[in-house]
């Protein structure tokens, strides 16, 4: 008898890619902790170069912070110019696309798309900034960063990963368990 449809779906899932990140499992199976993602990536790369089965490792960023870097002042004029530039690129792309499939004056279509795109972009840039009424007069970029990156082993590979890190000359995170005193001792 064939397995029910729902049961077949769950058996098709690859257990290696199933994501289980609960705090207890992650804390117990953490094999290294790095201050930057580049260092965590380098550590996993080193393990891979040494032949460790890295498909059993995860890089988990912890203590996330959102950073907004202010890049400059934003006025109606700068918003209009930025909108015009963005619109011109979009118009150029549309003009090129139309020019490819045109039998006529393709250069005219490109220039027309560029000009119309710049005009619409400038209008959207100006009115979009003006709608804030001075509540956000600066330009910025945003990033989500972690303060720590833990390398966590799955599938019982924590001890093997720590041994591989020691062999590579890297410092693994060691876990020791302190048991409470037993009554009567």
């Amino acid at each position: 008898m064939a397995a029910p449809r729902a049961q077949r779906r769950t058996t098709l899932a690859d257990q290696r890619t199933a994501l289980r990140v609960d705090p207890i499992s992650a804390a117990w199976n953490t094999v290294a902790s790095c201050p930057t993602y580049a260092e965590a990536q380098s550590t996993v790369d080193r393990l891979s170069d040494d032949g460790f089965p890295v498909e059993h490792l995860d890089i988990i960023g912890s203590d996330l912070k959102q950073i907004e870097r202010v890049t400059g002042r934003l006025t109606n004029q700068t918003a209009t110019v930025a909108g015009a530039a963005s619109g011109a690129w979009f118009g150029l792309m549309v003009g090129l696309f139309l020019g490819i499939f045109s039998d006529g004056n393709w250069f005219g279509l490109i220039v027309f798309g560029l000009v119309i795109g710049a005009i619409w972009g400038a209008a959207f840039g100006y009115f979009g900034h003006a709608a804030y009424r001075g509540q956000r007069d600066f330009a910025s970029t945003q990033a989500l960063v972690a303060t720590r990156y833990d390398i966590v082993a799955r599938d019982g590979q924590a001890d093997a990963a720590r041994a591989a890190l020691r062999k590579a000359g890297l410092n693994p995170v060691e876990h020791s368990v302190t048991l409470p005193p037993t009554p009567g001792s």
Side-chain angles (χ1 to χ4, degrees):
M1 183 169 155
R5 184 177 179 102
Q7 195 175 22
R8 273 188 272 142
R9 273 193 209 139
T10 58
T11 58
L12 293 177
D14 187 359
Q15 292 299 322
R16 291 177 297 151
T17 59
L19 189 58
R20 179 178 176 221
V21 185
D22 58 279
I24 294 170
S25 175
W28 191 256
N29 296 315
T30 299
V31 296
S33 188
C34 303
T36 65
Y37 179 75
E39 288 180 36
Q41 188 178 16
S42 174
T43 301
V44 172
D45 186 51
R46 177 67 187 268
L47 289 172
S48 176
D49 292 345
D50 292 343
F52 183 80
V54 293
E55 62 271 11
H56 299 285
L57 299 176
D58 296 325
I59 298 175
I60 300 175
S62 300
D63 301 328
L64 298 179
K65 293 183 179 185
Q66 179 179 350
I67 297 174
E68 183 171 8
R69 178 159 295 161
V70 177
T71 58
R73 184 163 189 223
L74 189 62
T75 63
N76 283 335
Q77 182 179 0
T78 56
T80 303
V81 170
S86 176
W89 278 110
F90 182 74
L92 179 66
M93 182 186 68
V94 170
L96 283 169
F97 185 71
L98 291 174
I100 290 172
F101 297 107
S102 172
D103 290 336
N105 184 6
W106 63 270
F107 184 74
L109 287 172
I110 292 172
V111 171
F112 181 75
L114 192 126
V115 170
I116 294 299
I119 291 170
W120 277 104
F124 278 112
Y126 176 82
F127 290 115
H129 177 66
Y132 278 106
R133 296 187 178 146
Q135 292 176 353
R136 186 172 168 93
D137 286 338
F138 62 91
S140 64
T141 60
Q142 294 182 359
L144 191 62
V145 295
T147 58
R148 173 179 100 242
Y149 295 88
D150 293 331
I151 300 171
V152 176
R154 298 185 315 274
D155 305 327
Q157 295 290 325
D159 290 332
R162 287 187 192 102
L165 286 169
R166 275 192 292 284
K167 183 179 175 187
L170 302 171
N171 294 325
V173 173
E174 299 294 343
H175 288 282
S176 60
V177 178
T178 305
L179 296 174
T182 58
S185 61

